[in-house]
């Protein structure tokens, strides 16, 4: 008997739907590395252009009081080194205060602006729904990222009359094809990426964020186990590793404007 429930079918078929550019959103430095660094490493290895947008500076993170005066610069340096390990150099910040992030119009406008500038095939974001099985995945800032990005993706990004000052500045409306969400409830996850060849790159990126890990060994064991469980849920062979996402088709052949 299969120990895992039947997974919902992903609308994304990697053999059919090609990805050239990806824009990833996270609340804090290190969120992307935990949630999707294996998939990102696979994308960049295949020539995909990947950009990051970190909404806060991570100024409330860490455990060492000695780090407080320079925590923002430290976390930025960690994120840039971690990103380079998975092939990413384009990093943006919205400079919101860590722990105070809200899906405000200021934040949503920043999201819309960046999506219209980069015009990605995939927006990758934290999930707006709380994970009750592991509430640590559902930091309020994480949920705020998911809500702000989801609201921005539809309808604001594709509405030329939303935030008209952006259109006046030459940032035209854009219909995003795909929204991929990570760090959400397991029951929402419908798409798995085999990241077996990129596990060490992912772990290397996570290890860079040394200011955030009081127990490195436990952290690594947990991440490895989570990827093995995802692989089993996806029906992959023993010994494989996977990352899990909730993939939503935003605009495609069957999309009708306004529906």
């Amino acid at each position: 008997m299969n120990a895992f429930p039947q997974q919902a079918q992903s609308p994304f078929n990697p053999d059919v739907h090609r990805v050239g550019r990806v824009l990833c959103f996270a609340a804090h430095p290190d969120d992307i590395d935990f949630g999707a660094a294996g998939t990102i490493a696979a994308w960049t290895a295949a020539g995909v252009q990947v950009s990051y947008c970190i909404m806060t500076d991570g100024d409330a993170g860490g455990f060492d009081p000695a780090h407080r005066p320079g925590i923002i610069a430290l976390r930025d340096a960690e994120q840039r080194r971690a990103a380079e390990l998975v092939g990413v150099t384009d990093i943006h910040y919205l400079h919101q205060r860590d722990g105070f992030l809200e899906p405000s119009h200021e934040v949503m406008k920043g999201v819309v602006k960046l999506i219209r500038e980069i015009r990605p095939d995939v927006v990758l974001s934290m999930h707006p729904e709380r994970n009750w099985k592991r509430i640590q995945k559902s930091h309020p800032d994480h949920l705020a990222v998911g809500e702000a990005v989801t609201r921005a993706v539809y309808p604001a990004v594709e509405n030329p009359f939303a935030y008209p000052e952006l259109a006046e500045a030459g940032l035209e409306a854009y219909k995003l094809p795909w929204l991929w969400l990570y760090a959400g409830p397991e029951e929402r996850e419908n798409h798995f990426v085999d990241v077996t060849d990129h596990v060490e790159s992912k772990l290397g990126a996570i290890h860079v964020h040394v200011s955030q890990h009081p127990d490195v060994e436990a952290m690594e064991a947990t991440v490895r186990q989570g990827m093995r469980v995802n692989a089993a849920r996806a029906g992959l062979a023993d010994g494989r590793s996977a990352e899990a996402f909730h993939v939503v088709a935003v605009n495609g052949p069957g999309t009708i404007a306004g529906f």
Side-chain angles (χ1 to χ4, degrees):
M1 179 180 292
N2 188 348
F4 300 97
Q6 183 68 33
Q7 299 296 325
Q9 184 65 39
S10 170
F12 184 89
N13 182 344
D15 294 328
V16 175
H17 303 115
R18 299 302 177 187
V19 176
R21 288 190 300 275
V22 176
L23 173 57
C24 308
F25 288 93
H28 316 102
D30 83 359
D31 289 336
I32 291 175
D33 299 299
F34 276 100
T39 299
I40 290 164
W43 271 329
T44 60
V48 177
Q49 299 174 27
V50 179
S51 301
Y52 289 176
C53 177
I54 316 298
M55 290 197 180
T56 81
D57 293 317
D59 45 287
F63 299 91
D64 187 345
H67 288 160
R68 302 325 306 167
I71 191 64
I72 293 176
L74 174 61
R75 298 204 69 185
D76 175 53
E78 288 176 342
Q79 181 62 91
R80 292 183 186 280
R81 289 199 303 274
E84 287 177 0
L85 290 178
V86 294
V88 177
T89 58
D90 186 34
I91 301 178
H92 306 261
Y93 284 91
L94 294 189
H95 300 297
Q96 297 293 306
R97 186 178 175 188
D98 188 348
F100 290 77
L101 187 63
E102 298 286 348
S104 65
H105 280 287
E106 176 189 3
V107 171
M108 289 167 57
K109 179 180 173 182
V111 172
V112 171
K113 178 177 183 292
L114 200 52
I115 294 175
R116 289 188 183 180
E117 286 176 344
I118 294 175
R119 306 179 89 77
D121 303 298
V122 172
V123 161
L124 180 71
S125 171
M126 311 197 85
H127 206 288
E129 296 183 44
R130 184 169 274 107
N131 185 334
W132 292 109
K133 291 183 179 179
R134 188 166 183 270
I135 201 167
Q136 288 82 359
K137 283 188 175 181
S138 302
H139 185 297
D141 285 354
H142 296 184
L143 302 179
V145 169
E147 187 63 30
V149 172
T150 303
R151 291 187 195 182
V153 162
Y154 183 80
V157 165
E158 61 185 64
N159 182 356
F161 308 113
Y163 308 117
E165 61 272 27
L166 296 180
E168 291 168 4
L171 295 176
E172 297 181 357
Y174 173 66
K175 287 184 176 292
L176 176 74
W178 298 99
L179 174 63
W180 288 36
L181 301 164
Y182 64 98
E186 288 181 7
E187 58 268 24
R188 294 293 190 197
E189 292 169 345
N190 60 3
H191 188 78
F192 297 86
V193 177
D194 187 334
V195 297
T196 306
D197 294 339
H198 303 282
V199 167
E200 299 310 317
S201 294
K202 176 185 175 77
L203 290 171
I206 293 172
H207 272 285
V208 169
H209 300 278
V210 291
S211 67
Q212 307 305 302
H213 305 317
D215 188 339
V216 174
E217 290 185 2
M219 174 276 295
E220 180 168 325
T222 298
V223 172
R224 286 186 185 276
Q225 176 62 15
M227 289 190 288
R228 288 193 292 266
V229 169
N230 285 336
R233 292 170 61 205
L236 299 177
D238 289 346
R240 308 300 291 180
S241 296
E243 290 177 336
F245 303 92
H246 177 193
V247 171
V248 179
V250 182
N251 283 287
T255 304
I256 302 173
F259 294 93

